[in-house]
């Protein structure tokens, strides 16, 4: 009674009466503790489709897309319903960006580096070799001006982007032969896409572009000498441990790849404020969930690979990493010179990283070092 009086005093009672007219059903039942519980189900106001770059129900990445759809529906009490499509089900996997920006569908889940051909600056919003790790890139995006630049860039393509997943540091990949010096990278045929591939080419390697299903047979038959994919969990599912035994770390080329949720800009702007807030929350949840899921699953898969499959986990030699770092810095600086917006994003990314590295050196990295003493 006291609560009802309080609400009436605020005029909430009148507002609630108005809202009742908008909702399709309102069930009342007695809860176990005896008080009245109200379940409100909204009328479905938005029926959306989400296309993704991932195979249907692809572990973690595809699950993240399905999780966003489910959480948006739950949080909006059914006002928004989103049907998720795997890559190729509605549009080709790499057709995600165009399908959303052209308004064929309302939203998509992917990774920004796939759109480098459309705009080189997109790569800074996914993965940069020797760039920032998950913690740093999340800080840049959410608290360091990165999101504002991403919004500005994607507005040119009629899109609103959100970070909606992070892989954490990936693995350097599977190699048929051991890597002991830079000479071993000369002429090495490797499946490694994106900026990492450009870096490998710069140091004398040969980049081979292969879709997921082609990686295992090519590596097994020796058509390629090496392949990177994601990390222990995904790599094991692809069977790469049966094609090569030398598993190298760290994933210098993808130190914390960001996944994206993209929404057609006018569809986004037409959403009421409370539904926009629900999307923001669902994307942020997927971001943390993906990183956490992979952190947990990679550890288990790594143990299995080493204990049960004879995999040799090896660090890339220091001089190889040093040379790859130099080549990466040159490659990324070249991207920055490709167009004015890439330069602008590069400046923000580099400035944030440089300052943040000083803090990381005495926080995360100092702690990691302390653990090894
Ligand atoms: Ca990868």
């Amino acid at each position: 009674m006291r609560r009802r009086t309080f609400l009436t005093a605020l005029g909430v009672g009148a507002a609630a009466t108005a809202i009742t007219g908008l909702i399709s059903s309102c069930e009342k039942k007695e809860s176990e503790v005896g008080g009245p519980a109200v379940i409100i189900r909204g009328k479905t106001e938005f029926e959306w489709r989400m296309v993704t770059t991932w195979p249907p129900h692809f572990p973690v990445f595809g699950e993240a897309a399905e999780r966003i759809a489910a959480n948006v529906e739950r949080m909006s009490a059914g006002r928004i319903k989103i049907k998720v499509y795997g890559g190729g089900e509605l549009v080709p996997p790499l057709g995600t960006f165009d399908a959303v920006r052209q308004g064929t569908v309302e939203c998509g889940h992917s990774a920004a580096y796939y759109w480098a051909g459309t705009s080189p600056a997109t790569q800074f919003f996914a993965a940069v070799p020797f760039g920032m790790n998950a913690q740093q890139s999340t800080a840049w995006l959410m608290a360091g001006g990165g999101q504002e630049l991403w919004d500005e860039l994607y507005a040119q393509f009629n899109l609103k982007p959100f970070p909606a997943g992070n892989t954490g540091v990936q693995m350097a990949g599977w190699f048929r032969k051991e890597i002991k010096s830079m000479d071993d990278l000369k002429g090495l045929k490797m499946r490694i896409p994106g900026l990492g591939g450009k870096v490998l080419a710069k140091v004398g390697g040969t980049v081979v572009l292969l879709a997921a299903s082609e990686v295992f047979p090519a590596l097994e038959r020796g058509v390629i000498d090496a392949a990177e994919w994601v990390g222990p969990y995904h790599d094991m599912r692809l069977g790469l441990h049966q094609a090569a035994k030398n598993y190298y770390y760290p994933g210098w080329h993808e130190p914390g790849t960001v996944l994206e949720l993209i929404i057609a800009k006018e569809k986004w702007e037409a959403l009421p404020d409370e539904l926009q807030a629900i999307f923001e929350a669902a994307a942020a949840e997927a971001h943390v969930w993906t990183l956490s899921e992979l952190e947990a699953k990679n550890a288990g898969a790594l143990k299995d690979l080493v204990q049960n499959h004879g995999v040799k986990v090896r660090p890339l030699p220091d001089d190889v990493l040093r040379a790859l770092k130099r080549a990466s810095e040159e490659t990324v600086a070249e991207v920055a010179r490709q167009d004015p917006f890439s330069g602008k994003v590069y400046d923000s990314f580099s400035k944030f990283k440089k300052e943040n590295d000083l803090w990381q050196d005495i926080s995360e990295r100092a702690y990691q070092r302390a653990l090894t003493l």
Side-chain angles (χ1 to χ4, degrees), residues 113 170 191 228-230 253-254:
Y113 52 17
Q170 299 196 5
R191 185 269 175 197
E228 77 79 52
W229 182 233
V230 186
H253 62 304
E254 294 193 64

Side-chain angles (χ1 to χ4, degrees), residues 6 8 22 73 88-89 114 158 166 201 212 314 327 349:
F6 177 67
T8 308
L22 296 173
E73 185 174 338
E89 288 187 325
Y114 293 124
N158 183 37
N166 196 300
R314 304 181 191 280
F349 185 97

